[in-house]
Amino acid sequence: MSLILNLLVRGALVSPEFLDSGVFEAETLRILGILLGFGVVALWGWSILDGWLKRRRDAR
């Protein structure tokens, strides 16, 4: 998770050639980056919650 978020924040997740190609506008890429960040954090949080629930269930 930290690797993906680190690359996303530094702007190294997508190649500069793709960004300069003009396929997407800057605002669209910003929104996609935000959604990707939230998605990564949500999956990370779900994984932690799932682990806690499984541990609690197995302890019974």
Side-chain angles (χ1 to χ4, degrees):
M1 179 190 99
S2 65
L3 175 65
I4 293 173
L5 290 180
N6 188 6
L7 291 173
L8 183 63
V9 169
R10 290 187 335 187
L13 190 62
V14 180
S15 73
E17 292 84 19
F18 178 73
L19 295 175
D20 293 338
S21 69
V23 175
F24 296 108
E25 296 180 15
E27 183 68 16
T28 303
L29 289 174
R30 186 179 76 80
I31 292 170
L32 289 174
I34 290 170
L35 290 174
L36 177 65
F38 277 118
V40 167
V41 171
L43 286 174
W44 175 68
W46 178 258
S47 178
I48 289 174
L49 179 64
D50 187 45
W52 282 340
L53 292 174
K54 285 180 182 177
R55 172 137 185 177
R56 184 175 171 199
R57 184 181 59 225
D58 290 342
R60 290 182 186 181

